[in-house]
Amino acid sequence: MSMILNIFRGRCPHCEKGRIFEKLGNPFLFQMPKMKQKCDVCGHSFEREPGFFFGAMFVSYAVAVPQMVVLLLACKALGLENIPIIIIVIIAFILLSTTNFRLSRTIWMYIFRNV
Ligand SMILES: [Zn+2]
């Protein structure tokens, strides 16, 4: 349970105390989150090797698609037409992009934390 909380808080997968991101990003200002190179507390290097976060794209897909499906079903339940639903889902996708970026990279690091 604490691991899930640490993933949402963006804590280091090694010591679970240091923060992974120095800037959280802002979708309204088109700013992406900025990662730290190493953990401030334990010195753990977040990027194990070049291209390590390539696999986080697949995690991002697995995170974003259920969000959009839930939103789509909620809009359908409210009786909205298809075009407004598409616009709402696209806006939600953009607004959640920085959160999903952070979440997917953090989940990816936690998957390989003991390897
Ligand atoms: Zn650490």
Side-chain angles (χ1 to χ4, degrees), residues 30-99:
F30 301 105
Q31 292 175 339
M32 292 304 288
K34 186 168 169 69
M35 283 187 72
K36 295 178 181 175
Q37 294 287 323
K38 293 184 177 188
C39 176
D40 292 334
V41 177
C42 68
H44 175 74
S45 178
F46 293 131
E47 188 169 6
R48 295 170 152 233
E49 58 192 19
F52 174 69
F53 290 110
F54 179 77
M57 285 193 317
F58 303 107
V59 177
S60 176
Y61 182 79
V63 168
V65 167
Q67 291 171 344
M68 299 308 125
V69 168
V70 167
L71 186 60
L72 177 96
L73 294 176
C75 289
K76 277 287 187 190
L78 293 173
L80 295 176
E81 297 293 324
N82 287 342
I83 298 298
I85 290 175
I86 291 170
I87 293 169
I88 289 170
V89 168
I90 289 172
I91 290 172
F93 183 76
I94 292 169
L95 293 179
L96 289 170
S97 62
T98 55
T99 303

